[in-house]
Amino acid sequence: IAERVAVVGAGPDGGSEFGSVRSVLLDARGFLYVLDPSNVQVSVYDETGAFRQHLGRKGAGPGEYRSPYSIALLGDSIALSDPSLSRISLIGPDGAWLREWPTPPNTGPQAVRLYRTPPQSFWAYATIFARSGLERVFIRYEASGPTDTLPIPKSSVTAGTGITCNSPNRSISFYSQPFGATPIAVPTPQGERAVAVSSAYRISFLGRSGDTLRALERDVTAPRLSDAEWAEATEKWQAFRRKLPAAHCTKDGFERPPVRPLLGMIFFDDEQRMWVEVFTATGQQYDVYDPKGSLVGTVNGLPPSSGIEPSVAAGRIALVVQDSLDEQVVHVFRIRPGEP
């Protein structure tokens, strides 16, 4: 069962204290780290949710960052990815700068982040130059630095072609396919890749050469897509067509899927267990698997990830939540095993 123990970021006026939240992290003490790229800061909160300090500061020197992007644990230290400075910095729990590693330039969606496989490593998304041209890879980091590289598997499934429109004023607009099936690929603590498609509950584990080592599946009914959800998801596209009916678009509209995607994020906790965010016909849940791939539990009562990787450590989970004003705050829950 999940019991909420803290809400972080809710301001006294009801709004959020954060400009935006891109990454959250819990450590073994129950301390919470919140990365806010809009305010260019990483805020630290204790196990009660009380503010303790800012980690590092804005700048380009040691222990500083210009565009904080993602954070992960490496032992008891914090790794921070800063694409604008093309580096990953390692900062001690007391805030002291320890070292840094250069990285290829990288920015983009949430897939471009640090992937957590604690306690002694994490992986970083990167685009590198190879003999065959640009290649997308995961790079594994340990205390000694980068140690391993895995290619990111290519998927024949995309989120849909979307719609591109050329307006009479020569501006270009793009609208992605709502509720489209999306490929999922994450590195595992064992040096494999867990891959899936959001429309089906089947997760395959690929070895270094790309061969399927094993797979897990569950028979779960996907949630139906309601009229209200479809109308909300396509409102910007519909508003554009109403405003600019003369715009030339690649398609006349979106094909509505009968159901919503089944899978959300896949991530790992501090005991190397895999968490799978699942959307079912009866509600949302997180399925938890041990390192051998056996289902050890299902956690209900948690909010959706909203596309930002949750963090699980010391029996707690932190998630980014949209509040009643549609602003971002962080909720921390204690997970009590063995209860319904």
Side-chain angles (χ1 to χ4, degrees), residues 6 9 28 36 53 56 82 118 132 135 138 144 154 173 195 204 234 258 260 278 281 287 307 312 321 323 328 331 333:
D36 181 350
Q53 64 175 331
D82 187 346
S132 58
E135 183 178 359
F138 296 121
S144 58
K154 296 180 180 180
S173 302
V195 300
S204 300
T234 58
R260 296 172 55 194
V278 189
D287 291 343
V312 186
V321 176
D323 67 10
Q328 291 176 308
H331 288 198
F333 295 80

Side-chain angles (χ1 to χ4, degrees), residues 274-286:
M274 183 176 71
W275 288 59
V276 182
E277 184 179 20
V278 189
F279 301 93
T280 76
T282 57
Q284 187 229 8
Q285 65 193 43
Y286 289 85

